[in-house]
């Protein structure tokens, strides 16, 4: 047994909220998610020299955890960590399976002492999570702390003495991956699983079927993938050249992915959508639909009206598919969808109406509930459980159902009060396909912007105010990654991280220990770990946003004033004005900087230990004052600047030629707040997007603008986006996915005062493509700037 000289920080170690945060001077490790209870010790365990990781003989799960830990510690320190058996002499890290009184499932005790390290857990998951925590500790001191002997990753070092007793708050800690809209390679899915495991996330909800693709091989119905797995439009394919787009996972690939996840203690919960989002399946087998017609695999996004039929043949199809799904996925839960089922075809079908009345149901909502319950009962008969989106509540919750609530948390609470388990996944907080902010668009007006990660940080999925009989049915939290606009695995990961880090903490850490400032400090270290692991994590919380404005005439030779901010407000901003990359010794930003119009200003954030936290951002004041790209614009009043999309639906996200554009799908309007005064000319570059965002019934909600021009027009307006027009710039005919077009015109005088500009694209033709603003360039003489500081 290890002897450990503890410096006790907690009065009652077994209490979930027993440990208060350790101050930086006490060298608390920057662990994420934050452990339930931490005690600091004396001294440190040196990672230099031979260290053996010991796993119990014959315990394959423990040996996997030991092997995983050896690789992780090597990556963090550069050292070598052999995996050995009990009785190994020398300095050891011991993994042991043993009962720990009072420790919940998936919990562990991690003890670090100068003589050795021990991880103890009663179950396989807890042992692995203890290894995950230990792997975070080299080089992971809280910024500003001096953890004894600890070095940055790759430099050896030591781990400070500490004892951690830890366990998860919720049993379902998950992410949802949509592979139906865009297909990810098996390697990309494994990369996501690795990143999830490092955050102690334990559930991947895998969305495998939808209108735009059926991705799961079903032996009994080969056309589901041969036909339903592929779509084609004039602009489909990664290059937008009309190539077929799609793919599917063979059953052998699925088994391999499921096993890969299971080794990392991640359960994959498959989703097979029903009765809506069924167009790809109906394209493969038209008899499964209400009309009997082949609608083709969908190439547009939105909510489509194609529902499964409700006859015996279709219900047998559902059972056949579920048989093979259960063969492939050992998960207790199977997700049956149940969302966004437009009932128009059911209402119009005499056969469906006859079935509805024969079943004694009172309407289409109850018919949907009946349909879902057929699947739920079939799963229950095979020892499985059904879960569905919260729309299944509308027709009366099927007895076998659990609920995943995406319309806020009300659906979860309604299900929990009725005695059903529920997972919370509120759209407005944890849908990771929405913008998470960045240096340029941090001031966006959309409700999903800009502080999405801060919203998750403050989100409590199971408030203490809930009655115990309700709270016990809130089993988890999940962040969906829908992929209408995320075209490949790279885009998925960049959208998911670091926000998924905040979801992991919400599912694991006791609510009383969660504090935004503390989380942000630990997140900074975690982001560097993720980058070192090759994860394309977004810099959004820590990247520097640079803005410039003309300097007053009395500025002593400077022509512009540059302001620097970050979304999180965390980290020291350092900058240069000579074109060089900032270092930890560069000038510290404390107040707006006066520079020349052509001076390159480059800035980056740094941790107190001198590590660069986010990639540098560079501007030239002349460009920054007079030009705005779409990412630097904001939503018009009443709009939601919520997504970034490529020009064509399947364009790869990680190539130099790809460019994404920030838009509000409901109104083609962009705002430039406090545009510089003195502008007399404007040039607006627009790109005709090859996208259809909504279906005919929904398009009535899109804001329209009156157009008298023969084709399209760019309308420039002042504050509030209401008249009068400052300029109307005619556009030529444009083809979806076609080349960019620049419209130019004059602006009236502004009287020397900065003004808000709204730029609207519109067309008189209902079928015209959505014209996204790529950039806006003003020109003139900025008021107050020195002579010669004219815009381009």
């Amino acid at each position: 047994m290890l002897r450990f000289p503890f410096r006790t920080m907690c009065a009652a170690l077994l209490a979930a909220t027993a440990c208060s945060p350790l101050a930086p001077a006490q060298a608390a490790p920057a662990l994420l998610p934050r452990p339930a209870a931490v005690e600091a010790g004396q001294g440190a365990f040196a990672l230099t020299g031979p260290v053996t990781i010991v796993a119990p003989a014959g315990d394959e799960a423990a040996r996997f955890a030991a092997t995983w830990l050896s690789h992780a510690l090597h990556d963090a320190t550069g050292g070598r960590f052999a995996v050995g058996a009990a009785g190994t002499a020398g300095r050891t890290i011991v993994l042991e399976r043993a009962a720990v009184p009072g420790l919940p499932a998936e919990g562990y005790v991690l003890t670090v002492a100068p003589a050795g390290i021990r991880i103890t857990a009663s179950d396989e998951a807890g042992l692995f999570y203890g290894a995950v925590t230990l792997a975070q500790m080299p080089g992971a001191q809280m910024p500003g702390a001096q953890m004894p002997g600890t070095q940055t990753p790759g430099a050896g070092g030591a781990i400070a003495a500490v004892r951690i007793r830890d366990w998860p708050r919720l049993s379902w800690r998950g992410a949802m991956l949509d592979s139906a809209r865009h297909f990810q390679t098996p390697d990309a899915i494994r990369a996501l699983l690795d990143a999830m495991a490092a955050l102690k996330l334990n559930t991947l909800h895998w969305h495998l079927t939808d209108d735009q693709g059926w991705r799961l091989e079903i032996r009994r119905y080969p056309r589901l993938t041969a036909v339903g797995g592929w779509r084609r439009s004039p602009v489909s394919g990664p290059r937008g050249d009309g190539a077929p787009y799609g793919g599917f996972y063979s059953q052998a690939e699925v088994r391999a992915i499921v096993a890969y996840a299971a080794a990392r203690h991640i359960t994959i919960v498959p989703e097979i959508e029903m009765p809506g989002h069924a167009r790809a399946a109906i394209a493969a087998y038209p008899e499964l639909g209400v009309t009997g017609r082949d609608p083709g695999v969908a190439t547009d996004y939105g909510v489509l009206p194609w529902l499964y039929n409700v006859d015996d043949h279709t219900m047998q199809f559902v059972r056949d598919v579920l048989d093979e799904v259960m063969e492939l996925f050992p998960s207790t839960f199977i997700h049956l969808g149940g969302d966004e089922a437009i009932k128009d075809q059911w209402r119009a079908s005499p056969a469906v109406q006859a079935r509805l009345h024969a079943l004694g149901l009172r309407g289409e909502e109850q018919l949907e509930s009946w349909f879902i319950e057929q699947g739920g009962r079939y799963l229950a008969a095979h020892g499985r459980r059904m879960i569905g989106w919260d729309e299944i509540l509308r027709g009366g919750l099927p007895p076998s159902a659990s609920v995943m609530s995406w319309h806020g948390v009300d659906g979860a609470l309604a299900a929990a009060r009725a005695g059903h388990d529920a997972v919370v996944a509120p759209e407005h907080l944890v849908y990771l396909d929405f913008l998470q902010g960045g240096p340029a668009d941090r001031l966006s007006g959309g409700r999903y912007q800009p502080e999405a990660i801060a919203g998750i940080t403050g989100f409590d999925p199971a408030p203490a105010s809930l009655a115990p009989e309700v709270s016990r049915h809130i089993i988890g939290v999940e962040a969906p990654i829908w992929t209408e606009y995320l075209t490949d695995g790279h885009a998925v990961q960049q959208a998911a991280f670091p926000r998924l880090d905040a979801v992991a903490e919400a599912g694991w850490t006791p609510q009383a220990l969660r504090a935004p400032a503390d989380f942000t400090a630990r997140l900074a270290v975690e982001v560097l770990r993720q980058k070192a692991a090759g994860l394309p994590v977004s810099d959004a919380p820590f990247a520097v946003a640079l803005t410039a404005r003309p300097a007053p005439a009395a500025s002593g030779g400077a022509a512009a004033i540059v302001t620097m901010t970050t979304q999180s407000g965390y980290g020291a901003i350092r900058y240069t004005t000579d074109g060089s990359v900032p270092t930890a010794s560069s000038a510290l930003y404390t107040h707006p900087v006066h520079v020349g119009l052509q001076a390159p200003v480059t800035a980056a954030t740094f941790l107190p230990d001198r590590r660069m936290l986010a990639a540098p951002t560079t501007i030239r004041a002349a460009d920054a004052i007079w030009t705005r790209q779409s990412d630097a614009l904001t939503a018009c009043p009443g709009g939601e600047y919520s997504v970034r999309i490529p020009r064509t639906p399947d364009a790869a996200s990680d190539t130099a030629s790809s460019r994404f554009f920030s838009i509000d799908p409901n109104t083609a309007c962009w705002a430039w707040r406090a545009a510089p005064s003195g502008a007399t000319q404007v040039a607006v570059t627009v790109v005709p997007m090859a996208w259809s965002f909504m279906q005919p019934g929904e398009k009535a909600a899109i804001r329209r603008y009156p157009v008298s021009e023969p084709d399209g027009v760019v309308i420039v307006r002042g504050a509030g986006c209401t008249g009068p027009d400052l300029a109307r710039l005619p556009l030529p005919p444009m083809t979806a996915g076609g080349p960019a077009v620049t419209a130019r015109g004059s602006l009236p005088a502004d009287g020397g005062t900065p003004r808000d500009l709204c730029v609207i694209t519109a067309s008189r033709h209902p079928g015209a493509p959505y014209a996204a603003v790529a950039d806006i360039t003003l020109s003139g003489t900025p008021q107050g700037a020195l002579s010669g500081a004219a815009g381009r």
Side-chain angles (χ1 to χ4, degrees), residues 716-732:
V716 183
R717 291 181 177 166
C721 297
T722 57
D725 297 343
L726 301 179
R728 293 181 74 93
L729 316 176
L731 293 169

Side-chain angles (χ1 to χ4, degrees), residues 407-448:
H407 291 95
V409 300
D410 290 347
L413 295 179
R417 290 181 179 120
H420 295 259
D421 288 342
V423 175
V424 293
E427 175 193 29
H428 67 290
L429 285 176
V430 296
Y431 268 36
L432 302 185
D433 50 314
F434 293 118
L435 284 172
Q436 65 176 330
D441 56 16
R442 65 181 299 275
L443 299 178
S444 169
R447 66 189 172 106
Y448 302 108

Side-chain angles (χ1 to χ4, degrees), residues 47-53 70-71 73-75 77-83:
L47 293 173
T48 55
V51 176
T52 302
I53 303 174
S70 73
H71 292 305
L73 290 176
H74 169 71
D75 291 343
T77 69
R80 297 290 178 181
F81 299 85
V83 176

Side-chain angles (χ1 to χ4, degrees), residues 80-363:
R80 297 290 178 181
F81 299 85
V83 176
T88 301
R91 300 166 61 253
T92 60
I93 299 171
V94 176
L95 279 63
E96 65 175 358
R97 295 274 294 277
V100 181
L103 193 68
E106 301 181 90
Y108 64 91
V109 175
L110 168 60
T111 304
V112 179
I117 298 175
R118 184 175 296 271
I119 301 170
T120 305
S122 59
D123 57 34
E124 296 176 358
L127 207 60
F128 180 74
Y129 293 143
V132 168
T133 296
L134 181 60
Q136 290 184 350
M137 296 175 75
Q141 71 270 27
M142 290 287 282
Q146 297 299 316
M147 181 176 287
T150 302
Q151 306 292 322
T152 56
I159 299 177
V162 69
R163 186 180 186 189
I164 297 172
R165 185 180 178 107
D166 195 19
W167 60 91
R169 183 186 186 198
L170 297 173
S171 61
W172 181 309
R173 308 177 302 280
M176 188 220 77
L177 176 63
D178 172 22
S179 294
R181 275 54 178 273
H182 280 100
F183 178 81
Q184 304 87 32
T185 66
D187 281 346
I189 294 171
R190 282 188 280 269
L192 178 62
L193 290 166
D194 283 334
M196 290 175 61
L199 293 168
K200 303 185 178 76
L201 293 166
N202 70 348
T203 306
L204 178 65
H205 167 191
W206 199 4
H207 185 80
L208 288 163
T209 72
D210 215 296
D211 299 305
Q212 294 78 21
W214 184 289
R215 305 290 177 221
L216 177 64
E217 179 190 13
I218 300 296
R219 296 187 305 271
R220 201 170 304 181
Y221 297 95
R223 287 176 58 84
L224 286 173
T225 47
V227 174
W230 303 88
R231 60 177 184 260
R232 185 166 189 168
S233 76
V235 292
S236 63
R239 291 181 295 277
D241 57 4
Y245 178 84
F248 65 91
Y249 305 99
S250 71
Q251 294 203 354
E253 287 174 323
V254 169
R255 288 190 176 93
I257 291 170
V258 168
Y260 191 89
R264 290 151 181 79
H265 302 281
I266 297 173
T267 298
I268 297 185
V269 175
E271 179 177 354
I272 307 299
E273 282 272 16
M274 60 184 74
H277 290 286
R279 182 165 158 175
I282 295 171
Y285 296 97
E287 67 273 17
L288 297 175
V290 176
T291 68
R293 301 194 309 270
D294 175 6
V297 178
T299 58
D300 292 338
Y301 298 113
V303 182
L304 306 181
W306 295 88
L307 268 63
Y308 285 119
N309 207 339
V310 294
D311 59 8
D312 292 340
H313 171 76
T314 303
M315 301 317 298
Q316 184 59 50
F317 165 82
V318 169
R319 292 189 289 269
D320 291 343
V321 168
L322 291 179
D323 282 340
E324 296 194 34
V325 168
M326 287 187 285
E327 281 182 36
L328 295 169
F329 297 94
S331 58
T332 299
F333 284 98
I334 307 290
H335 203 299
L336 299 186
D339 65 315
E340 297 177 329
I342 298 175
K343 313 296 194 303
D344 294 351
Q345 291 183 350
W346 279 3
R347 294 187 185 96
S349 167
V352 170
Q353 292 298 309
R355 177 80 164 189
L356 185 156
H357 292 298
L359 292 169
L361 304 176
R362 293 191 298 274

